[in-house]
Amino acid sequence: MVISKGTDPKKDTRSGFEGSSLADRLEDLNVKTIFVLGPATQDCLKQTIVDACQLGLTVVVLADAIGSAGDTLQEIFAAGAHRATTSDMGLH
């Protein structure tokens, strides 16, 4: 499944949920928990996670599997995301 964001060149979208079908697809699939990892841009990462938390999803951030997010991590966890590591998941 591919969910595209930022497809309108006239609008800057920061969240993976903004202007996309991501929320609907997750609901259709009865997804309650998402795991976040991969390269991070501070603003996009933060806004996607905040939006997911506001939608009632459980968000687990694999802190050792994302790009440098600096002070953004504190804001993410304050929004309700949970911190884990790849070791916690049995991934080494």
Side-chain angles (χ1 to χ4, degrees):
M1 172 184 350
V2 175
I3 305 289
S4 297
K5 79 170 196 76
T7 57
D8 183 348
K10 296 177 184 174
K11 185 175 182 187
D12 182 26
T13 56
R14 298 180 299 158
S15 171
F17 291 94
E18 188 177 345
S20 77
S21 62
L22 181 56
D24 293 334
R25 296 303 307 253
L26 293 174
E27 185 177 344
D28 290 347
L29 295 168
N30 201 31
V31 171
K32 304 290 184 205
T33 303
I34 63 170
F35 295 83
V36 178
L37 65 146
T41 59
Q42 292 180 1
D43 203 34
C44 294
L45 175 78
K46 180 179 105 177
Q47 197 56 53
T48 297
I49 292 170
V50 168
D51 286 354
C53 290
Q54 290 175 344
L55 289 169
L57 293 166
T58 299
V59 180
V60 179
V61 177
L62 297 177
D64 61 339
I66 61 170
S68 174
D71 294 336
T72 303
L73 285 178
Q74 292 175 355
E75 295 177 53
I76 288 168
F77 298 127
H82 303 276
R83 180 186 184 101
T85 65
T86 54
S87 294
D88 296 335
M89 308 305 299
L91 306 170
H92 300 274

